[in-house]
Amino acid sequence: MSEKIHISLTRYAESNALLHEALVAISKQKNIIAHVLMLDQQDDEETRTLCGNISSGRITIEYIVIAPEGLSRARNKAIELCQGDILLFMDPDAVPDPYWAWNLTQTLLKDNVSIAGGKIIPRWHKRQPAICMSLLVKEQFSLLDRGTEEIHIPRVVGASFGINKSANKDHFYFDEKLGRRKGSLLGGEESDLCARIKKIGGLIMYNGAAVVEHQILPERLTWKWIIRRFYAAGLGRAIGGGAPNPGQKLQFLDYLVMPVILPGYALGFFVGRASRFRIK
């Protein structure tokens, strides 16, 4: 591929061990020429040095320190810095397959495709609770597996996706009221973007050959974290607007776990609706 693409990672509080594994894997991507925007919300000399050491003629990694103002603000900064049309986003605790960027870009270059997501599979750091077998719960861990083919999907998941902003550039931004920030598990910014792009006729695709492993740390495999995450999911849906809408067809197990997860989600949703919650 002769066309240069951009890839963005943003670190808020993830450890160097996780972040550096992600960066090294990105530096080994095949069949692409890329400029990587490593947007760090903490100034870390070890990471700065690593970015320089693993950069190459094909894949350069630029280390940029930004203010800790949340994930959506950081992603908007990446869009501002991206000098081309193709921009891929990956979480700093994900590990991509060597052909992840190439496969995702092939989908984004198809006619009228504006957003593309890939397969996100878990790398569990300890044995997960049985509730994690539910698709609804897996979504809260930023996991997505719709098989190996290319298909249309209603929205992408934040650990691995990309945009082609060649048309309607003004519509490609993240609502900064949404997205993770200090003290909050609030999400919904990708869903908001996808809804906006669909309204103007852009296609959203999934490519099952674009694979990343998402590292699920032990502190997330607790009932407390899962319930907090569903509360934040309900809050994000209320702020973003629209009715609750699962990303996949529900399975039998999803209905079984609803008595556990629905109260937290419903509380977040109604708090958001009732108070017209806004993040300053």
Side-chain angles (χ1 to χ4, degrees), residues 1 5 11 33 40-41 52 57 81 101 106 110 122 129 136 149 170 173 180-181 190 203 205 249 258 260:
M1 178 183 297
I5 67 169
R11 188 254 294 269
I33 300 171
D40 202 343
Q41 298 184 59
L81 294 172
Q106 297 313 297
K110 295 181 183 295
L136 289 173
E149 304 299 323
D170 292 343
Y173 64 88
R180 287 183 288 113
R181 59 176 63 223
E190 300 97 6
L203 298 180
M205 299 289 294
K249 183 178 180 180
M258 274 191 181
V260 177

Side-chain angles (χ1 to χ4, degrees), residues 53-158:
N53 289 343
I54 63 178
S55 290
S56 66
R58 281 193 315 108
I59 301 176
T60 58
I61 304 177
E62 182 179 6
Y63 182 78
I64 305 168
V65 179
I66 61 173
E69 296 177 332
L71 181 57
S72 289
R73 176 68 63 87
R75 285 176 170 168
N76 284 337
K77 182 66 174 178
I79 292 172
E80 175 188 327
L81 294 172
C82 177
Q83 297 177 357
D85 290 325
I86 305 295
L87 173 59
L88 310 185
F89 293 95
M90 195 188 80
D91 277 359
D93 55 358
V95 182
D97 174 88
Y99 292 93
W100 165 75
W102 185 83
N103 281 311
L104 206 52
T105 300
Q106 297 313 297
T107 299
L108 286 166
L109 291 174
K110 295 181 183 295
D111 289 344
N112 209 34
V113 175
S114 297
I115 304 175
K119 179 186 289 189
I120 308 167
I121 59 177
R123 184 189 292 183
W124 306 106
H125 280 239
K126 77 169 190 179
R127 184 176 180 179
Q128 68 274 26
I131 194 174
C132 293
M133 297 174 64
S134 160
L135 293 176
L136 289 173
V137 177
K138 286 180 179 179
E139 283 189 351
Q140 306 312 311
F141 291 107
S142 296
L143 302 177
L144 179 66
D145 186 350
R146 301 292 296 272
T148 60
E149 304 299 323
E150 277 188 321
I151 59 172
H152 294 274
I153 55 174
R155 62 177 182 262
V156 296
V157 175

